Amino acid sequence: MADYDVFELGDVVLQSGMTLRDAKLVYTTYGSLNRRRDNAILFPTFYGGQHMQNEPMIGAGMALDPAAYFIIVPNMFGNGLSSSPSNTPPPYDRARFPPVTLYDNVMCQHRLVTEQFGVERLALVTGFSMGAQQTFHWGALFPDMVERILPWCGSAKTSRHNFVFLEGVKTALTADDAWRGGWYDTPPTKGLRALARVYSGWVVSQAFYREQSYLQLGAASLEDFLVMQEGRRLNSDANNLLAMLWSWQQGDISANPLYNGDFEKALGAISAKAIVMPSQTDLYFPPEDNEWEVRHMPHAEFRPIPSIWGHMAGSPGVNPVDTAFIDSALKELLVS
Amino acid sequence: MADYDVFELGDVVLQSGMTLRDAKLVYTTYGSLNRRRDNAILFPTFYGGQHMQNEPMIGAGMALDPAAYFIIVPNMFGNGLSSSPSNTPPPYDRARFPPVTLYDNVMCQHRLVTEQFGVERLALVTGFSMGAQQTFHWGALFPDMVERILPWCGSAKTSRHNFVFLEGVKTALTADDAWRGGWYDTPPTKGLRALARVYSGWVVSQAFYREQSYLQLGAASLEDFLVMQEGRRLNSDANNLLAMLWSWQQGDISANPLYNGDFEKALGAISAKAIVMPSQTDLYFPPEDNEWEVRHMPHAEFRPIPSIWGHMAGSPGVNPVDTAFIDSALKELLVS
C-alpha cells in the first residue's frame, strides 16, 4: 500500500560525471490535472524530509488545495525514497552513491512533469529549505515554464557560512567510528545523535531558546527537546543524510552550463512572479542573503516571516502561526 | 624558564561537592603594584586560552599599560596551566577531574588577589568571552572590591542557546571512539577536528564568510581557514576542553549562596562602573542578552562592537580594528 508512485528515469548522467543507473524518482500527487493542464504546482521536499512531511501545507482551504490544484511532490534524491545510498544496488550503493546536485534533481523533475504528465507550464513552484533551493533552480532553469515561485527559508545559492555550518553537521556524524566511511552494517547512532545535537543549535534561533518555545512542541525541558531532535535523526540513514548534505553544500542556480557560474545572470533570468520568504531569525539561511538575491530578480518581493523560530519557522506545520503566514502568501501569489 | 607563577591553593572544596586537592592557580603579572595598592587590574582568560593569549591587549600605549597598572592574569581552571584534567595527578586526573564552576574560579582568584598581593580594591576587572563571564562574577560577588568592569563578548549567565551550541561542540568531540570516555592515551584527533569544524560555524558571523574576511587571517581559501581552525584545537587536551566547556555551560553569577539563583538581584548588586561590550554579530553571546543584563545593572553602559567578525571580534589582537575599539573603551573607563 505505497502512497507514492515511481517514475523510472533509466540511466541518468550527473553533473559529477557519474551515472545514476536505473534511477528512480519517487513522487506523489494531490488533486487532479485539469483539461488545460494549467493547474499544476510542484512542491519539492526538504533536507531529511519525504513527501509526507510536505503534507501539512496541502489541504482543503489552504493555498495548496487539491480541489483546485494538481500538486506534485517529487522526493529529492538521497531522501530514502527516490534513488538514495540506502536503496541503490551495488556497485552504486552506500558510500559509492554518486554525488547528485540540485540541478540534477531539477532536470529529472522536469522529465517527470513533462513526460509523465505532459505539463508545459507550472502555476507555481514552491518549497521549504532545500525545497526552496530547488524552487529557485526551477525559476532559473525553466523561466518560460514557471509562472510563480515561492521559496521559503532557502537561498538560490548556498552561502559560505551555510556551507561551514554543514561541515560541522557532517563532521559530527563522521567522527563516529561506527560510520566506517559509509560502510556500516549497523547505524552509527552516536554520530547521528551528535549530528542532531549540532543541528539543534542552528535550526532555531537564540530567541527560541530564550523564550523556551520548545515547550510548545511537547518537550518538557531543554534536554528533553534535544533528545526529541536526536530521535528525528535516528530514523535516518547516515549515507542518505550525507548525500543530501553534499547536494545542499553545492547548491547554486548558476553552477550549470546555462549560466556558467554567473549568479547575477541566473537570478536575473527568473521571470516568474516571486515572493521570497526567509525567516527573520534563520541562522543559516539568513534574510540578508535573500534580500540580495531579490534585488537581482526582476519580479520578486522580499517578505520575511516575522518569527523567532529560526529556520524551523518554515518547517511545514510545525508552528501554526508561521505556517499560516506562509500559506497566506501562497494564496496571494496564486491569485496574482 | 616559566613565564608564570603558581599560587598554591591547597585543597579547594568546589560547588560540586568535590575537592580539588592541592589545587594550583597559575598566573602572570605585568607592571608593578603601586604603594597604595590601587592600580591592580584583573584580566582572566577565555575558553581554550592561556595568559599568553591575553597579551595582545596589554602593552605600552594601550589601556592595560604595565607602566601604569599592575595587571594580573589568572589562568582558568582546566586551561592546562592552572589545575586541569591534563596536569592533575590520580585519582582526580583526566575524566575524573572534578567539575569546576566560574564561581569556584573567581573565589580562588580572590584568594590570589588578597592573600598573595594584599590587594583590597581592583581598579578594573575585564575579560573576553569566558573571561567576560568571570568579570561579571567579580562584579556580583565582590561589589565592594571592584571599581570598574568591562566584560566583552560574554554574558553574566550562559543562555540556553549558548548551552545548546556547546552541546553540539561537545558531542562532536565525544563522538570519536578514540576519546574513550576521557581515558585516551593518544589524543582523539578526529573528534578535536570535528569540534573545531563545528566551532567554525559559530565563532564568526554569516557576514564574515560572505565577505571572505578569513583572507585577512592568512587563509588562502575557505577550506584553508577551516583547517587552520582545526590546528588551533589539535594542540588542546580533549578533557581540558570539556572541563572548561562544562564551566561555561554552568556560567551564572547568581548560582551561588549569595544570590540563590536570583539573577536580577545579582545583576543589581554589580555596583562597579561598567561598559558591557558584545559583538554586534556574535552568534552565541548575542547583544540581546547583554542588553537585558545591562538594564538590570545600576551603573552599566551597553556598547556593542560594530563588527562582522562575530564572537571573534573580541579575540585579543586577532582583528586590529575591533581590538582598538575595545582598547579605546577600556581607556575611557579607566579614567572615569
Side-chain angles (χ1 to χ4, degrees):
Chain A
M1 286 271 296
D3 67 338
Y4 53 75
D5 292 290
V6 182
F7 182 67
E8 297 287 349
L9 292 156
D11 293 352
V12 175
V13 176
L14 303 165
Q15 280 197 296
S16 61
M18 297 298 285
T19 305
L20 193 56
R21 293 184 198 277
D22 196 22
K24 291 164 202 322
L25 178 49
V26 168
Y27 66 95
T28 309
T29 63
Y30 306 82
S32 310
L33 188 61
N34 65 14
R35 210 165 286 201
R36 294 173 53 188
R37 297 178 186 278
D38 66 358
N39 70 331
I41 290 176
L42 194 81
F43 184 18
T45 60
F46 54 89
Y47 185 73
Q50 299 180 337
H51 60 267
M52 303 82 81
Q53 275 81 52
N54 277 8
E55 291 186 354
M57 299 302 296
I58 300 170
M62 302 191 78
L64 307 191
D65 189 339
Y69 294 102
F70 179 58
I71 303 147
I72 308 166
V73 178
N75 285 273
M76 188 163 43
F77 291 121
N79 84 339
L81 285 177
S82 289
S83 291
S84 299
S86 64
N87 64 16
T88 297
Y92 292 93
D93 60 322
R94 303 199 285 171
R96 279 289 180 279
F97 186 74
V100 182
T101 61
L102 293 177
Y103 173 86
D104 294 325
N105 269 280
V106 167
M107 295 310 277
C108 292
Q109 291 168 12
H110 180 262
R111 284 186 51 197
L112 169 71
V113 167
T114 55
E115 297 174 19
Q116 181 74 11
F117 297 114
V119 166
E120 296 298 332
R121 285 193 66 79
L122 290 163
L124 170 73
V125 183
T126 190
F128 162 59
S129 196
M130 285 186 81
Q133 297 195 293
Q134 293 167 72
T135 298
F136 277 112
H137 276 74
W138 267 97
L141 297 175
F142 301 103
D144 295 337
M145 198 171 158
V146 179
E147 293 181 42
R148 302 170 188 83
I149 63 171
L150 195 153
W152 77 87
C153 301
S155 63
K157 182 174 175 171
T158 299
S159 74
R160 293 190 193 92
H161 175 263
N162 196 326
F163 182 95
V164 173
F165 138 66
L166 291 170
E167 281 296 296
V169 167
K170 176 179 78 178
T171 315
L173 168 56
T174 59
D176 184 354
D177 285 341
W179 172 60
R180 299 184 58 213
W183 302 111
Y184 49 86
D185 290 314
T186 52
T189 55
K190 192 168 55 170
L192 289 166
R193 287 179 187 273
L195 171 145
R197 215 158 260 254
V198 171
Y199 222 100
S200 290
W202 290 110
V203 74
V204 291
S205 76
Q206 297 93 345
F208 173 92
Y209 287 110
R210 195 180 296 126
E211 304 297 329
Q212 298 181 270
S213 302
Y214 46 83
L215 299 177
Q216 296 176 43
L217 293 173
S221 66
L222 179 56
E223 178 62 18
D224 197 29
F225 174 69
L226 298 179
V227 178
M228 279 171 65
Q229 296 299 105
E230 289 179 4
R232 289 187 55 228
R233 299 302 178 187
L234 285 176
N235 298 322
S236 303
D237 176 77
N239 286 324
N240 287 358
L241 288 175
L242 293 169
M244 288 182 287
L245 190 147
W246 188 91
S247 305
W248 183 350
Q249 286 190 312
Q250 314 308 314
D252 178 355
I253 60 168
S254 67
N256 52 62
L258 250 74
Y259 299 109
N260 285 308
D262 188 338
F263 186 47
E264 294 190 25
K265 187 178 169 195
L267 288 168
I270 302 177
S271 54
K273 188 173 277 199
I275 304 179
V276 176
M277 303 184 77
S279 160
Q280 195 67 62
T281 51
D282 197 316
L283 288 171
Y284 46 88
F285 286 116
E288 291 76 11
D289 293 331
N290 282 153
E291 200 170 16
W292 189 91
E293 290 168 351
V294 163
R295 280 206 296 275
H296 294 81
M297 294 164 67
H299 303 112
E301 180 194 335
F302 172 72
R303 192 187 295 184
I305 306 163
S307 175
I308 64 164
W309 284 56
H311 187 67
M312 206 184 267
S315 197
V318 169
N319 176 341
V321 175
D322 297 332
T323 296
F325 188 84
I326 298 159
D327 186 58
S328 167
L330 281 165
K331 280 176 177 154
E332 183 185 328
L333 184 63
L334 278 168
V335 297
S336 72
Chain B
M1 284 270 295
D3 68 337
Y4 54 75
D5 291 291
V6 181
F7 182 68
E8 298 287 349
L9 292 156
D11 295 350
V12 175
V13 176
L14 302 166
Q15 280 196 296
S16 60
M18 298 295 286
T19 306
L20 192 56
R21 293 183 199 280
D22 196 22
K24 291 165 203 318
L25 177 49
V26 168
Y27 67 95
T28 310
T29 64
Y30 306 83
S32 309
L33 190 61
N34 64 15
R35 206 164 289 200
R36 294 172 54 187
R37 300 179 183 275
D38 66 358
N39 70 332
I41 290 176
L42 194 80
F43 184 18
T45 60
F46 54 89
Y47 185 71
Q50 299 180 336
H51 60 268
M52 305 81 83
Q53 275 79 52
N54 276 8
E55 290 185 355
M57 298 302 298
I58 301 168
M62 300 190 77
L64 307 191
D65 189 338
Y69 294 102
F70 179 58
I71 303 148
I72 308 166
V73 178
N75 285 273
M76 187 164 41
F77 290 120
N79 84 340
L81 286 176
S82 289
S83 292
S84 301
S86 65
N87 64 17
T88 297
Y92 292 94
D93 60 323
R94 304 200 284 170
R96 277 291 181 278
F97 187 75
V100 182
T101 61
L102 293 176
Y103 173 87
D104 294 325
N105 268 280
V106 166
M107 296 310 279
C108 291
Q109 291 168 13
H110 179 261
R111 285 186 49 199
L112 169 72
V113 166
T114 53
E115 295 173 21
Q116 180 75 9
F117 298 113
V119 166
E120 296 298 333
R121 282 191 70 77
L122 290 162
L124 170 73
V125 182
T126 189
F128 162 59
S129 196
M130 285 186 80
Q133 295 195 294
Q134 292 166 73
T135 298
F136 277 112
H137 276 75
W138 267 97
L141 298 175
F142 301 104
D144 295 338
M145 198 172 158
V146 179
E147 293 181 41
R148 302 170 189 85
I149 62 170
L150 195 152
W152 77 88
C153 301
S155 63
K157 181 173 176 172
T158 299
S159 74
R160 292 190 194 94
H161 175 263
N162 196 327
F163 181 94
V164 174
F165 138 67
L166 291 169
E167 281 295 298
V169 166
K170 177 179 78 178
T171 315
L173 168 57
T174 58
D176 184 354
D177 285 343
W179 173 59
R180 299 183 59 209
W183 301 110
Y184 50 86
D185 290 315
T186 51
T189 55
K190 193 168 54 166
L192 289 166
R193 287 178 187 271
L195 171 145
R197 215 159 260 252
V198 172
Y199 222 99
S200 289
W202 289 110
V203 73
V204 290
S205 76
Q206 296 94 343
F208 173 92
Y209 286 110
R210 197 180 294 127
E211 305 295 330
Q212 298 183 272
S213 302
Y214 46 83
L215 300 176
Q216 297 176 42
L217 293 173
S221 66
L222 178 56
E223 178 62 20
D224 198 28
F225 174 69
L226 298 180
V227 178
M228 279 170 66
Q229 297 299 105
E230 289 180 5
R232 291 185 55 228
R233 299 300 178 188
L234 284 176
N235 298 320
S236 303
D237 176 77
N239 285 326
N240 287 358
L241 289 175
L242 292 170
M244 287 182 287
L245 190 149
W246 189 90
S247 305
W248 183 349
Q249 286 191 311
Q250 314 309 315
D252 178 353
I253 61 169
S254 66
N256 53 63
L258 249 75
Y259 299 109
N260 285 310
D262 188 337
F263 186 46
E264 295 190 27
K265 186 178 171 193
L267 287 168
I270 302 178
S271 54
K273 188 173 278 202
I275 304 180
V276 177
M277 301 184 79
S279 160
Q280 194 67 62
T281 52
D282 198 317
L283 288 173
Y284 45 87
F285 285 116
E288 290 77 9
D289 292 332
N290 283 153
E291 200 170 16
W292 189 92
E293 289 167 353
V294 163
R295 280 206 296 276
H296 296 82
M297 295 165 65
H299 302 110
E301 179 194 337
F302 173 70
R303 192 187 295 186
I305 307 165
S307 175
I308 65 164
W309 284 56
H311 188 67
M312 206 185 264
S315 197
V318 169
N319 176 340
V321 174
D322 296 332
T323 297
F325 188 86
I326 298 159
D327 185 59
S328 167
L330 281 165
K331 280 176 177 154
E332 184 186 324
L333 185 63
L334 278 168
V335 298
S336 72

